[in-house]
Coordinates of all heavy atoms in Angstrom, one line a residue:
M168 N -21.7 -0.5 -1.6 CA -23.0 -0.8 -2.1 C -22.9 -2.2 -2.7 O -22.0 -2.5 -3.5 CB -23.5 0.2 -3.1 CG -24.8 0.0 -3.7 SD -25.2 1.1 -5.0 CE -24.5 0.1 -6.4
R169 N -23.9 -3.1 -2.4 CA -23.9 -4.5 -2.9 C -25.1 -4.8 -3.7 O -26.2 -4.4 -3.2 CB -23.7 -5.5 -1.8 CG -22.4 -5.3 -1.1 CD -22.1 -6.3 0.0 NE -20.7 -6.2 0.3 CZ -19.9 -7.2 0.6 NH1 -20.5 -8.4 0.7 NH2 -18.7 -7.1 0.9
K170 N -25.0 -5.5 -4.7 CA -26.1 -6.0 -5.5 C -26.0 -7.5 -5.5 O -24.9 -8.1 -5.7 CB -26.2 -5.5 -6.9 CG -26.6 -4.0 -7.0 CD -26.7 -3.6 -8.4 CE -27.0 -2.1 -8.5 NZ -26.9 -1.6 -9.9
Y171 N -27.2 -8.2 -5.3 CA -27.2 -9.6 -5.3 C -28.0 -10.1 -6.5 O -29.0 -9.5 -6.8 CB -27.8 -10.2 -4.0 CG -26.8 -9.9 -2.8 CD1 -26.9 -8.7 -2.1 CD2 -25.9 -10.9 -2.5 CE1 -26.0 -8.5 -1.1 CE2 -25.1 -10.7 -1.4 CZ -25.1 -9.5 -0.7 OH -24.3 -9.3 0.4
R172 N -27.6 -11.2 -7.1 CA -28.3 -11.9 -8.1 C -29.2 -13.0 -7.4 O -28.7 -13.7 -6.6 CB -27.4 -12.6 -9.1 CG -28.0 -13.2 -10.3 CD -26.9 -13.9 -11.2 NE -26.0 -12.9 -11.6 CZ -24.7 -13.0 -11.6 NH1 -24.1 -14.1 -11.1 NH2 -23.9 -12.0 -12.0
C173 N -30.5 -13.0 -7.7 CA -31.4 -14.0 -7.2 C -31.4 -13.9 -5.6 O -31.5 -14.9 -5.0 CB -31.1 -15.4 -7.6 SG -31.1 -15.6 -9.4
Q174 N -31.2 -12.7 -5.1 CA -31.3 -12.5 -3.6 C -30.1 -13.2 -2.9 O -30.0 -13.0 -1.7 CB -32.6 -13.0 -3.0 CG -33.8 -12.4 -3.7 CD -34.3 -11.2 -2.8 OE1 -34.2 -11.2 -1.6 NE2 -34.8 -10.2 -3.5
E175 N -29.3 -14.0 -3.5 CA -28.3 -14.7 -2.7 C -26.9 -14.5 -3.2 O -26.0 -14.3 -2.4 CB -28.6 -16.2 -2.8 CG -29.8 -16.6 -1.9 CD -30.1 -18.1 -1.8 OE1 -29.2 -18.8 -2.2 OE2 -31.2 -18.4 -1.4
E176 N -26.6 -14.7 -4.6 CA -25.3 -14.6 -5.1 C -24.8 -13.1 -5.2 O -25.5 -12.4 -5.9 CB -25.2 -15.3 -6.4 CG -23.7 -15.4 -6.9 CD -23.6 -16.2 -8.2 OE1 -24.3 -17.2 -8.4 OE2 -22.9 -15.7 -9.1
L177 N -23.7 -12.8 -4.6 CA -23.2 -11.5 -4.7 C -22.8 -11.2 -6.2 O -22.1 -12.0 -6.8 CB -21.9 -11.4 -3.9 CG -21.3 -10.0 -3.7 CD1 -22.2 -9.0 -3.1 CD2 -20.0 -10.1 -2.9
E178 N -23.3 -10.1 -6.7 CA -23.1 -9.8 -8.1 C -22.1 -8.6 -8.3 O -21.2 -8.6 -9.1 CB -24.4 -9.5 -8.8 CG -24.3 -9.2 -10.3 CD -25.7 -9.0 -10.9 OE1 -26.6 -8.6 -10.2 OE2 -25.8 -9.2 -12.1
T179 N -22.4 -7.5 -7.5 CA -21.6 -6.3 -7.7 C -21.3 -5.7 -6.3 O -22.2 -5.7 -5.4 CB -22.5 -5.2 -8.5 OG1 -22.9 -5.8 -9.7 CG2 -21.7 -4.0 -8.8
V180 N -20.1 -5.1 -6.1 CA -19.7 -4.4 -5.0 C -19.1 -3.1 -5.4 O -18.2 -3.1 -6.2 CB -18.8 -5.1 -4.0 CG1 -18.4 -4.2 -2.8 CG2 -19.3 -6.5 -3.6
I181 N -19.7 -2.0 -5.0 CA -19.2 -0.6 -5.4 C -18.8 0.1 -4.1 O -19.6 0.2 -3.2 CB -20.2 0.1 -6.2 CG1 -20.5 -0.6 -7.5 CG2 -19.8 1.6 -6.5 CD1 -21.7 -0.1 -8.3
C182 N -17.6 0.7 -4.2 CA -17.2 1.5 -3.0 C -18.1 2.8 -2.9 O -18.2 3.5 -3.9 CB -15.7 2.0 -3.2 SG -15.1 3.1 -1.9
N183 N -18.7 3.0 -1.7 CA -19.6 4.1 -1.5 C -18.8 5.4 -1.5 O -19.4 6.5 -1.8 CB -20.3 4.0 -0.2 CG -21.4 3.0 -0.3 OD1 -21.2 1.8 -0.2 ND2 -22.6 3.4 -0.5
C184 N -17.5 5.4 -1.3 CA -16.7 6.6 -1.2 C -16.3 7.1 -2.5 O -16.5 8.3 -2.9 CB -15.5 6.4 -0.2 SG -14.6 7.9 0.1
C185 N -15.6 6.3 -3.3 CA -15.0 6.7 -4.6 C -15.8 6.2 -5.8 O -15.5 6.6 -7.0 CB -13.6 6.3 -4.7 SG -13.3 4.5 -4.9
G186 N -16.7 5.2 -5.6 CA -17.5 4.7 -6.8 C -16.8 3.6 -7.5 O -17.3 3.1 -8.6
K187 N -15.7 3.1 -7.1 CA -14.9 2.1 -7.7 C -15.7 0.8 -7.7 O -16.3 0.4 -6.7 CB -13.6 1.8 -7.1 CG -12.8 0.7 -7.6 CD -11.6 0.4 -6.7 CE -10.9 -0.9 -7.2 NZ -9.8 -1.3 -6.3
K188 N -15.8 0.1 -8.9 CA -16.5 -1.2 -9.0 C -15.4 -2.2 -8.7 O -14.4 -2.3 -9.3 CB -17.1 -1.4 -10.3 CG -17.9 -2.6 -10.4 CD -18.6 -2.7 -11.8 CE -19.4 -4.0 -11.9 NZ -20.1 -4.2 -13.2
M189 N -15.7 -3.0 -7.6 CA -14.7 -4.0 -7.2 C -14.9 -5.3 -7.9 O -16.0 -5.6 -8.5 CB -14.7 -4.1 -5.7 CG -14.2 -2.9 -5.0 SD -14.2 -3.0 -3.2 CE -15.7 -2.1 -2.8
I190 N -13.8 -6.1 -7.9 CA -13.9 -7.4 -8.6 C -14.7 -8.4 -7.9 O -14.3 -8.8 -6.7 CB -12.4 -7.9 -8.9 CG1 -11.6 -6.9 -9.7 CG2 -12.5 -9.3 -9.6 CD1 -10.1 -7.1 -9.7
V191 N -15.7 -9.0 -8.5 CA -16.5 -10.1 -7.9 C -16.5 -11.2 -9.0 O -16.8 -10.9 -10.1 CB -18.0 -9.6 -7.6 CG1 -18.8 -10.8 -7.1 CG2 -18.0 -8.5 -6.6
K192 N -16.1 -12.4 -8.5 CA -16.1 -13.5 -9.4 C -16.8 -14.7 -8.7 O -16.5 -15.0 -7.6 CB -14.7 -14.0 -9.8 CG -14.1 -13.2 -10.9 CD -12.8 -13.8 -11.4 CE -12.1 -12.9 -12.4 NZ -10.7 -13.3 -12.6
N193 N -17.8 -15.3 -9.4 CA -18.5 -16.4 -8.9 C -19.1 -16.1 -7.5 O -19.1 -16.9 -6.6 CB -17.7 -17.7 -8.8 CG -17.1 -18.1 -10.1 OD1 -17.8 -18.0 -11.1 ND2 -15.9 -18.5 -10.2
G194 N -19.6 -14.9 -7.3 CA -20.3 -14.5 -6.1 C -19.3 -14.2 -4.9 O -19.8 -14.0 -3.8
I195 N -18.0 -14.1 -5.2 CA -17.0 -13.8 -4.1 C -16.3 -12.6 -4.5 O -15.7 -12.4 -5.6 CB -16.1 -15.0 -4.0 CG1 -16.9 -16.3 -3.5 CG2 -15.0 -14.7 -2.9 CD1 -16.1 -17.5 -3.5
L196 N -16.2 -11.7 -3.5 CA -15.4 -10.4 -3.6 C -14.0 -10.8 -3.6 O -13.5 -11.4 -2.7 CB -15.8 -9.5 -2.5 CG -15.0 -8.1 -2.4 CD1 -15.3 -7.3 -3.7 CD2 -15.4 -7.4 -1.2
R197 N -13.2 -10.4 -4.7 CA -11.8 -10.8 -4.9 C -10.8 -9.7 -4.6 O -9.7 -9.7 -5.1 CB -11.6 -11.3 -6.3 CG -12.6 -12.4 -6.7 CD -12.2 -13.7 -6.1 NE -13.2 -14.7 -6.5 CZ -12.9 -16.0 -6.7 NH1 -11.6 -16.4 -6.4 NH2 -13.8 -16.8 -7.0
E198 N -11.2 -8.7 -3.8 CA -10.2 -7.7 -3.4 C -10.6 -7.2 -2.0 O -11.7 -7.4 -1.5 CB -10.1 -6.6 -4.4 CG -11.3 -5.8 -4.7 CD -11.0 -4.8 -5.8 OE1 -10.3 -3.8 -5.5 OE2 -11.6 -4.9 -6.9
G199 N -9.6 -6.5 -1.4 CA -9.8 -6.0 -0.1 C -10.9 -4.9 0.0 O -10.9 -4.0 -0.8
A200 N -11.8 -5.1 1.0 CA -12.9 -4.1 1.1 C -13.4 -4.2 2.5 O -13.2 -5.3 3.2 CB -14.0 -4.3 0.1
I201 N -14.1 -3.2 3.0 CA -14.8 -3.3 4.3 C -16.3 -3.1 4.1 O -16.7 -2.2 3.3 CB -14.2 -2.3 5.3 CG1 -14.8 -2.6 6.7 CG2 -14.3 -0.9 4.9 CD1 -14.0 -1.9 7.8
H202 N -17.1 -3.9 4.7 CA -18.5 -3.9 4.6 C -19.1 -3.5 6.0 O -18.7 -4.2 7.0 CB -19.1 -5.2 4.1 CG -20.5 -5.2 4.0 ND1 -21.2 -4.5 3.0 CD2 -21.5 -5.9 4.7 CE1 -22.5 -4.7 3.2 NE2 -22.7 -5.5 4.2
I203 N -20.0 -2.6 6.0 CA -20.6 -2.2 7.3 C -22.1 -2.3 7.2 O -22.7 -1.8 6.2 CB -20.2 -0.8 7.7 CG1 -18.7 -0.7 8.0 CG2 -21.0 -0.3 8.9 CD1 -18.1 0.7 8.2
D204 N -22.7 -3.0 8.1 CA -24.2 -2.9 8.3 C -24.4 -2.4 9.7 O -23.9 -3.1 10.7 CB -24.8 -4.4 8.2 CG -24.7 -5.0 6.8 OD1 -25.2 -4.3 5.9 OD2 -24.2 -6.1 6.7
H205 N -25.0 -1.3 9.8 CA -25.2 -0.7 11.2 C -26.6 -0.3 11.4 O -27.2 0.5 10.7 CB -24.2 0.4 11.4 CG -24.3 1.0 12.8 ND1 -23.8 0.3 13.9 CD2 -24.9 2.1 13.3 CE1 -24.0 0.9 15.0 NE2 -24.7 2.0 14.7
A206 N -27.2 -0.8 12.5 CA -28.6 -0.4 12.9 C -28.4 0.7 13.9 O -27.9 0.4 15.1 CB -29.3 -1.6 13.5
W207 N -28.8 1.9 13.6 CA -28.8 3.0 14.5 C -29.9 2.8 15.6 O -31.0 2.4 15.2 CB -28.9 4.3 13.8 CG -27.8 4.6 12.9 CD1 -27.6 4.3 11.6 CD2 -26.5 5.2 13.3 NE1 -26.4 4.7 11.1 CE2 -25.7 5.3 12.1 CE3 -26.0 5.7 14.5 CZ2 -24.4 5.8 12.1 CZ3 -24.8 6.3 14.5 CH2 -24.0 6.3 13.3
D208 N -29.5 3.2 16.8 CA -30.5 2.9 17.8 C -31.1 4.2 18.4 O -30.9 5.3 17.9 CB -29.9 2.1 19.0 CG -28.7 2.8 19.6 OD1 -28.6 4.0 19.5 OD2 -28.0 2.1 20.3
Y209 N -31.9 4.1 19.5 CA -32.6 5.1 20.1 C -31.7 6.3 20.5 O -32.2 7.5 20.4 CB -33.3 4.6 21.3 CG -34.0 5.6 22.1 CD1 -35.3 6.0 21.7 CD2 -33.5 6.1 23.3 CE1 -36.0 7.0 22.5 CE2 -34.2 7.1 24.0 CZ -35.4 7.5 23.6 OH -36.1 8.4 24.3
F210 N -30.5 6.1 20.9 CA -29.6 7.1 21.3 C -29.0 7.9 20.2 O -28.2 8.9 20.5 CB -28.5 6.6 22.3 CG -29.2 5.9 23.5 CD1 -29.2 4.5 23.6 CD2 -29.7 6.7 24.5 CE1 -29.8 3.9 24.7 CE2 -30.3 6.1 25.6 CZ -30.4 4.7 25.7
S211 N -29.2 7.6 19.0 CA -28.7 8.3 17.8 C -29.7 9.2 17.2 O -30.9 9.2 17.6 CB -28.2 7.3 16.8 OG -29.3 6.8 16.1
E212 N -29.3 10.0 16.3 CA -30.2 10.9 15.5 C -30.9 10.1 14.4 O -31.7 10.7 13.6 CB -29.4 12.1 14.9 CG -28.7 12.9 15.9 CD -29.6 13.9 16.6 OE1 -30.5 14.5 16.0 OE2 -29.4 14.1 17.8
K213 N -30.5 8.8 14.2 CA -31.0 8.0 13.1 C -31.7 6.8 13.6 O -31.7 5.8 12.9 CB -29.8 7.6 12.2 CG -29.0 8.7 11.7 CD -27.7 8.2 11.1 CE -26.7 9.3 10.8 NZ -26.2 10.0 12.1
D214 N -32.4 6.9 14.7 CA -33.1 5.8 15.3 C -34.0 5.1 14.3 O -34.8 5.8 13.6 CB -33.9 6.3 16.5 CG -34.6 5.1 17.2 OD1 -34.1 4.0 17.1 OD2 -35.6 5.4 17.9
G215 N -33.9 3.8 14.2 CA -34.7 3.1 13.2 C -34.2 2.9 11.9 O -34.8 2.2 11.0
E216 N -33.0 3.5 11.6 CA -32.4 3.4 10.3 C -31.3 2.3 10.3 O -30.5 2.3 11.3 CB -31.8 4.7 9.8 CG -32.8 5.8 9.5 CD -32.2 7.1 9.1 OE1 -31.0 7.1 8.7 OE2 -32.9 8.1 9.1
I217 N -31.2 1.5 9.3 CA -30.1 0.6 9.1 C -29.3 1.1 7.9 O -29.8 1.2 6.8 CB -30.6 -0.9 8.9 CG1 -31.5 -1.3 10.1 CG2 -29.4 -1.8 8.7 CD1 -32.1 -2.7 9.8
H218 N -28.0 1.3 8.2 CA -27.1 1.8 7.1 C -26.2 0.7 6.6 O -25.7 -0.1 7.4 CB -26.3 3.0 7.6 CG -27.0 4.2 7.8 ND1 -26.4 5.5 7.9 CD2 -28.4 4.4 8.0 CE1 -27.4 6.4 8.1 NE2 -28.5 5.8 8.2
H219 N -26.0 0.6 5.3 CA -25.2 -0.4 4.7 C -24.2 0.3 3.8 O -24.6 1.2 3.0 CB -26.0 -1.3 3.8 CG -27.2 -1.9 4.4 ND1 -27.1 -3.1 5.2 CD2 -28.5 -1.6 4.4 CE1 -28.3 -3.4 5.7 NE2 -29.2 -2.5 5.2
L220 N -22.9 0.0 3.9 CA -21.9 0.6 3.0 C -20.7 -0.3 2.8 O -20.4 -1.2 3.6 CB -21.5 2.0 3.6 CG -20.8 2.0 4.9 CD1 -19.3 2.1 4.7 CD2 -21.3 3.2 5.7
D221 N -20.0 0.0 1.7 CA -18.8 -0.7 1.4 C -17.7 0.3 1.1 O -18.0 1.3 0.4 CB -19.0 -1.7 0.2 CG -19.9 -2.8 0.5 OD1 -19.4 -3.9 1.0 OD2 -21.1 -2.7 0.3
L222 N -16.5 0.0 1.5 CA -15.4 0.9 1.1 C -14.3 0.0 0.6 O -14.0 -1.1 1.1 CB -14.8 1.6 2.4 CG -15.7 2.6 3.1 CD1 -15.1 3.0 4.4 CD2 -16.0 3.8 2.2
C223 N -13.6 0.5 -0.5 CA -12.5 -0.2 -1.1 C -11.3 0.0 -0.1 O -11.4 0.9 0.8 CB -12.1 0.3 -2.5 SG -11.4 2.0 -2.5
E224 N -10.3 -0.8 -0.3 CA -9.1 -0.7 0.6 C -8.5 0.7 0.6 O -8.0 1.2 1.7 CB -8.1 -1.8 0.3 CG -7.2 -2.1 1.4 CD -6.4 -3.4 1.3 OE1 -6.6 -4.1 0.3 OE2 -5.6 -3.7 2.2
N225 N -8.3 1.3 -0.6 CA -7.7 2.6 -0.7 C -8.5 3.6 0.1 O -7.9 4.5 0.8 CB -7.6 3.0 -2.1 CG -6.5 2.3 -2.9 OD1 -5.6 1.7 -2.2 ND2 -6.5 2.3 -4.2
C226 N -9.8 3.7 0.0 CA -10.6 4.6 0.7 C -10.5 4.4 2.2 O -10.5 5.3 3.0 CB -12.1 4.6 0.2 SG -12.2 5.4 -1.4
Y227 N -10.6 3.1 2.6 CA -10.5 2.8 4.0 C -9.1 3.3 4.5 O -9.1 4.0 5.6 CB -10.5 1.2 4.2 CG -10.2 0.8 5.6 CD1 -11.2 0.9 6.6 CD2 -9.0 0.3 5.9 CE1 -10.9 0.5 7.9 CE2 -8.7 -0.1 7.2 CZ -9.7 0.0 8.2 OH -9.4 -0.4 9.5
D228 N -8.0 3.1 3.8 CA -6.7 3.5 4.3 C -6.7 5.1 4.4 O -6.1 5.6 5.4 CB -5.6 3.1 3.3 CG -5.4 1.6 3.4 OD1 -5.8 1.0 4.5 OD2 -4.7 1.0 2.5
E229 N -7.3 5.7 3.4 CA -7.3 7.2 3.4 C -8.1 7.7 4.6 O -7.7 8.7 5.3 CB -7.9 7.7 2.1 CG -7.6 9.2 1.9 CD -7.9 9.6 0.5 OE1 -7.6 8.9 -0.5 OE2 -8.5 10.7 0.4
I230 N -9.3 7.1 4.8 CA -10.1 7.6 5.9 C -9.5 7.4 7.3 O -9.4 8.3 8.1 CB -11.5 6.9 5.9 CG1 -12.3 7.4 4.6 CG2 -12.3 7.1 7.1 CD1 -13.5 6.6 4.3
I231 N -8.9 6.2 7.5 CA -8.3 5.9 8.8 C -7.0 6.7 9.0 O -6.7 6.9 10.2 CB -8.1 4.4 9.1 CG1 -7.1 3.8 8.2 CG2 -9.5 3.6 9.0 CD1 -6.6 2.4 8.7
S232 N -6.4 7.1 8.0 CA -5.2 7.9 8.1 C -5.5 9.3 8.8 O -4.6 9.9 9.3 CB -4.4 8.1 6.8 OG -5.1 9.0 6.0
G233 N -6.8 9.7 8.7 CA -7.2 10.9 9.3 C -7.6 10.8 10.8 O -8.0 11.8 11.4
F234 N -7.7 9.6 11.3 CA -8.1 9.3 12.6 C -7.1 9.9 13.6 O -5.9 9.8 13.4 CB -8.3 7.8 12.9 CG -9.5 7.2 12.3 CD1 -10.3 7.9 11.5 CD2 -9.8 5.9 12.6 CE1 -11.5 7.3 10.9 CE2 -10.9 5.3 12.0 CZ -11.7 6.0 11.2
R235 N -7.5 10.5 14.7 CA -6.6 10.9 15.8 C -6.1 9.8 16.6 O -5.0 9.8 17.1 CB -7.3 11.9 16.7 CG -7.6 13.2 16.0 CD -8.3 14.2 16.9 NE -8.7 15.4 16.2 CZ -8.6 16.6 16.7 NH1 -8.2 16.8 17.9 NH2 -8.9 17.6 15.9
I236 N -6.9 8.7 16.7 CA -6.4 7.5 17.4 C -6.4 6.4 16.3 O -7.4 6.1 15.7 CB -7.4 7.2 18.5 CG1 -7.4 8.3 19.5 CG2 -7.1 5.9 19.2 CD1 -8.5 8.3 20.6
A237 N -5.3 5.7 16.2 CA -5.1 4.7 15.2 C -6.1 3.5 15.4 O -6.4 3.2 16.6 CB -3.7 4.2 15.2
V238 N -6.4 2.9 14.3 CA -7.2 1.7 14.4 C -6.5 0.6 15.2 O -5.2 0.5 15.0 CB -7.5 1.2 12.9 CG1 -8.1 -0.2 12.9 CG2 -8.4 2.2 12.2
E239 N -7.2 -0.1 16.0 CA -6.5 -1.2 16.7 C -6.4 -2.4 15.8 O -7.3 -2.8 15.1 CB -7.3 -1.6 18.0 CG -7.3 -0.5 19.0 CD -8.2 -0.9 20.2 OE1 -8.1 -2.0 20.7 OE2 -9.1 -0.1 20.6
K240 N -5.2 -3.0 15.8 CA -5.0 -4.2 14.9 C -4.5 -5.3 15.7 O -3.8 -5.2 16.7 CB -3.9 -3.8 13.9 CG -4.2 -2.7 13.0 CD -3.1 -2.3 12.1 CE -3.4 -1.0 11.3 NZ -2.2 -0.6 10.5
E241 N -4.8 -6.5 15.3 CA -4.3 -7.7 15.9 C -4.2 -8.8 14.8 O -5.0 -8.7 13.8 CB -5.1 -8.2 17.0 CG -6.6 -8.6 16.6 CD -7.4 -9.1 17.8 OE1 -7.1 -10.2 18.3 OE2 -8.3 -8.4 18.2
P242 N -3.3 -9.8 14.9 CA -3.3 -10.8 13.9 C -4.6 -11.6 13.9 O -5.1 -12.0 15.0 CB -2.1 -11.7 14.3 CG -1.6 -11.1 15.5 CD -2.4 -10.0 16.0
A243 N -5.0 -12.0 12.7 CA -6.2 -12.8 12.6 C -5.8 -14.3 12.8 O -4.8 -14.7 12.4 CB -6.9 -12.7 11.2
V244 N -6.7 -15.0 13.5 CA -6.4 -16.4 13.8 C -7.2 -17.2 12.7 O -8.4 -17.0 12.6 CB -6.9 -16.8 15.2 CG1 -6.7 -18.3 15.4 CG2 -6.2 -16.0 16.2
E245 N -6.4 -18.0 12.0 CA -7.1 -18.8 10.9 C -7.8 -20.0 11.5 O -7.3 -20.7 12.3 CB -6.0 -19.3 9.9 CG -5.7 -18.2 8.9 CD -4.9 -18.8 7.7 OE1 -5.2 -19.9 7.3 OE2 -3.9 -18.2 7.4
M246 N -9.1 -20.1 11.1 CA -9.9 -21.2 11.6 C -9.7 -22.4 10.6 O -10.0 -22.2 9.4 CB -11.3 -20.8 11.7 CG -11.5 -19.7 12.6 SD -11.0 -20.0 14.3 CE -12.6 -20.0 15.1
I247 N -9.2 -23.5 11.0 CA -9.0 -24.6 10.0 C -10.1 -25.7 10.3 O -10.4 -26.0 11.4 CB -7.6 -25.2 10.2 CG1 -6.6 -24.1 9.9 CG2 -7.5 -26.4 9.3 CD1 -5.2 -24.6 10.1
Ligands
ZN145 ZN1 -13.1 3.7 -2.7

């Protein structure tokens, strides 16, 4: 869950799973987290709904550890 100050500057990020308030300084999230914005479409049971959520790194790790198929990983390429 994210709150913005003046519609633009990130003020607060809270993990939707455990409720942990994550560190935000000067509008920048300062710890590992995953943010999802997903627009459900016609083929889902949630057609027309857009879901937003944030997970802290610990909750993310716990959730994916229960996956039957591991998350695919690759090294990130730094853009300079
Ligand atoms: Zn969490």
Side-chain angles (χ1 to χ4, degrees):
M168 184 188 87
R169 292 179 171 221
K170 287 184 185 170
Y171 290 87
R172 185 179 300 132
C173 303
Q174 302 266 325
E175 287 183 15
E176 186 180 318
L177 185 63
E178 185 177 21
T179 307
V180 180
I181 295 172
C182 175
N183 284 80
C184 186
C185 71
K187 176 188 173 189
K188 186 174 178 182
M189 291 183 260
I190 300 165
V191 175
K192 278 188 186 165
N193 301 323
I195 297 170
L196 178 60
R197 305 286 178 148
E198 60 184 290
I201 186 166
H202 178 71
I203 296 173
D204 290 308
H205 184 72
W207 291 95
D208 63 17
Y209 178 79
F210 299 103
S211 73
E212 302 281 321
K213 303 169 193 62
D214 184 24
E216 294 180 14
I217 301 173
H218 290 200
H219 309 277
L220 64 99
D221 291 273
L222 295 172
C223 71
E224 196 167 2
N225 285 342
C226 287
Y227 173 79
D228 288 343
E229 195 171 316
I230 290 167
I231 68 166
S232 73
F234 286 4
R235 289 179 186 221
I236 298 169
V238 170
E239 292 177 50
K240 299 175 187 175
E241 63 180 290
V244 177
E245 279 191 44
M246 303 298 247
I247 299 173

